Amino acid sequence: MDKKLVNILNQYDFNGTIKEIKPITVGHINDTFVVEYDVECKTEKYLLQWINHNVFKKPIEVMENVVGVTTHIKGKIAEAGGDTEREVLTVFKTKAGENYALAEDGGCWRVYNFVDNSYSLDGVRSSDDFKMAAIAFGNFQKQLADYPIKTLKDTIPNFHNTVSRFNDFKVALEENKSGRKDEAKEEIEFVLAHEKDCSVLVDMLNSGELPLRVTHNDTKLNNVLFDKTTNKPLCVVDLDTVMPGSSLYDFGDSIRFGANTGAEDEKDLSKISLDLDLFKAYVEGYLESAGDALTENEITYLPFAAKLLTFECGIRFLGDFLNGDVYFKTEYPEHNLVRARTQFKLVSDIEKKFSEMQSIVNQAKSRV
Ligand code: GN1
Ligand code: MG
């Protein structure tokens, strides 16, 4: 067993003896392990995670946000008579009373409860799944509507500020650290031709035309846990990027990932498109759960947000390809370029279907 991991776990007072520490692949940033303890005749499981400090420069502030938010949500679940063990994550404290454990190399680790009898989806099985994910994220936003937003730390400043993302991209292009910019000529052109889109939501947030809200900021479908028995959503996970933002960020990122007919890293671009039925299912679920709390602009700009968040993710992937794959985990050298291509193909398809998307939103809105 890895001595470093055992030393981290020894900072907690969990019962029993460690039976196994299994790495699992979730997400492109942190390292995650499922830990099994033998406790008398039973096995108890925990989720151990390293917070990638190259991405989260202040992991302790990330943990302050996560604990604040999960504690707040737990209160709401208790009020509603729900299951506070399964409908929200729990962060365990170390023997020293901290929400994180530091490894000898300075790395910051945390332990969550392992939500048993649950699963996540990398792709939807039906539009019902996607509608349920929309309800889960809509509820998440509602549960945090009265969270003291000023106490949240901006753990990755300008995370969804697309103007600043665009500027970062231009720096990556100029520096061309990987020397690979000629491999991505078409994609670079695509990015530069879309500059004017970048400031739309940022400007509206700055002028107050869009309200600042507590947002999740990483609303991929696989960040919703479903219950194995009921197949209903249980809870929203991956709370590292909870920060002040626009509700449109969460909506757009959900569509980017979940309403794509192909995977985020599909090489065959003919498989990439926006599934309008899935878009409709998500819009309906989202407006059903959060619609009454949203402003007119937050509804009107839903189709645009789907396009913008997809574009933003594409420029982040392409920027990382140019920088030499220093941010996202990759499995092969062109992985980030492949990911960027899927995002830009999806943006183009959204542009073609934009008026249909607007009609879907208008229809769903009239029912709120
Ligand atoms: C990263 O690690 P993961 O997969 O949850 C990234 C998101 C991107 C996503 C693209 C902190 O999320 O912003 O949308 O990859 N998270 C961070 O799949 O940058
Ligand atoms: Mg994440």
Side-chain angles (χ1 to χ4, degrees):
M1 237 176 271
D2 189 315
K3 229 176 124 206
K4 176 173 138 185
L5 299 185
V6 171
N7 283 341
I8 292 162
L9 289 163
N10 284 340
Q11 296 186 41
Y12 293 82
D13 62 355
F14 298 137
N15 292 328
T17 49
I18 303 171
K19 185 168 127 195
E20 202 180 358
I21 307 177
K22 268 189 290 198
I24 54 167
T25 31
V26 283
H28 304 331
I29 309 287
N30 296 325
D31 290 345
T32 309
F33 302 83
V34 175
V35 184
E36 293 189 3
Y37 277 76
D38 270 328
V39 187
E40 291 162 8
C41 301
K42 304 193 304 236
T43 300
E44 275 180 13
K45 289 187 195 168
Y46 300 91
L47 207 80
L48 173 68
Q49 215 168 30
W50 170 65
I51 308 172
N52 184 335
H53 54 242
N54 302 314
V55 168
F56 297 101
K57 309 279 185 223
K58 295 180 179 165
I60 295 173
E61 292 193 352
V62 169
M63 289 316 293
E64 281 173 29
N65 282 355
V66 170
V67 171
V69 162
T70 49
T71 309
H72 187 88
I73 295 178
K74 240 180 235 293
K76 298 277 168 176
I77 293 169
E79 267 169 36
D83 183 345
T84 52
E85 299 292 304
R86 286 171 66 71
E87 292 173 29
V88 62
L89 292 178
T90 302
V91 177
F92 286 99
K93 281 195 193 301
T94 61
K95 291 178 210 164
E98 300 292 357
N99 296 314
Y100 56 87
L102 294 180
E104 284 149 29
D105 60 9
C108 189
W109 294 72
R110 61 174 165 220
V111 179
Y112 281 122
N113 61 323
F114 181 87
V115 184
D116 235 334
N117 201 39
S118 70
Y119 62 92
S120 64
L121 292 170
D122 281 317
V124 294
R125 295 162 299 195
S126 69
S127 55
D128 272 358
D129 281 341
F130 205 38
K131 185 167 181 181
M132 286 194 286
I135 294 173
F137 282 121
N139 284 338
F140 178 83
Q141 198 162 100
K142 269 195 155 172
Q143 286 167 330
L144 293 171
D146 58 348
Y147 191 81
I149 196 163
K150 289 215 170 75
T151 63
L152 272 180
K153 301 282 178 348
D154 222 1
T155 46
I156 305 184
N158 295 320
F159 191 62
H160 283 309
N161 180 329
T162 318
V163 174
S164 121
R165 291 291 186 187
F166 189 85
N167 291 336
D168 292 347
F169 173 81
K170 288 226 300 227
V171 171
L173 179 60
E174 237 158 69
E175 293 181 348
N176 188 22
K177 282 191 187 137
S178 66
R180 299 190 283 190
K181 86 172 179 194
D182 289 344
E183 288 172 49
K185 278 193 184 129
E186 257 181 63
E187 292 73 23
I188 293 167
E189 250 171 60
F190 185 90
V191 173
L192 299 176
H194 280 77
E195 179 171 8
K196 68 167 185 358
D197 287 337
C198 295
S199 59
V200 176
L201 298 187
V202 177
D203 286 349
M204 290 177 79
L205 268 174
N206 287 340
S207 67
E209 287 165 275
L210 284 173
L212 199 64
R213 301 201 186 264
V214 176
T215 45
H216 182 282
N217 295 309
D218 188 7
T219 47
K220 298 205 279 201
L221 175 69
N222 56 17
N223 281 334
V224 177
L225 290 188
F226 288 82
D227 188 300
K228 264 192 197 160
T229 309
T230 64
N231 288 318
K232 295 252 154 59
L234 257 183
C235 70
V236 166
V237 299
D238 193 1
L239 308 170
D240 295 336
T241 48
V242 173
M243 278 181 279
S246 165
S247 61
L248 288 164
Y249 299 159
D250 282 0
F251 177 87
D253 199 46
S254 279
I255 300 302
R256 171 191 83 74
F257 188 86
N260 186 349
T261 50
E264 192 180 71
D265 59 356
E266 173 59 60
K267 289 182 180 158
D268 177 357
L269 289 181
S270 70
K271 293 189 179 151
I272 302 295
S273 65
L274 180 91
D275 184 320
L276 280 172
D277 291 332
L278 291 180
F279 178 75
K280 181 166 179 269
Y282 200 92
V283 168
E284 287 174 357
Y286 183 64
L287 292 187
E288 220 171 82
S289 59
D292 52 356
L294 300 174
T295 66
E296 190 67 30
N297 278 339
E298 283 177 298
I299 297 177
T300 307
Y301 280 80
L302 292 175
F304 179 78
K307 174 179 153 179
L308 186 70
L309 272 283
T310 306
F311 177 71
E312 181 194 286
C313 200
I315 62 177
R316 293 176 63 200
F317 287 143
L318 189 57
D320 199 33
F321 174 76
L322 297 172
N323 282 333
D325 306 324
V326 290
Y327 188 94
F328 297 105
K329 287 180 188 168
T330 49
E331 281 154 28
Y332 53 92
E334 325 76 62
H335 204 166
N336 270 319
L337 180 58
V338 167
R339 287 171 176 151
R341 284 183 177 142
T342 63
Q343 303 306 290
F344 299 147
K345 170 75 197 292
L346 189 60
V347 169
S348 301
D349 200 49
I350 291 176
E351 285 171 341
K352 286 189 201 126
K353 294 173 177 161
F354 205 73
S355 58
E356 286 164 276
M357 292 165 76
Q358 284 174 316
S359 309
I360 289 170
V361 169
N362 286 335
Q363 267 169 31
K365 187 173 83 172
S366 61
R367 277 184 251 126
V368 175

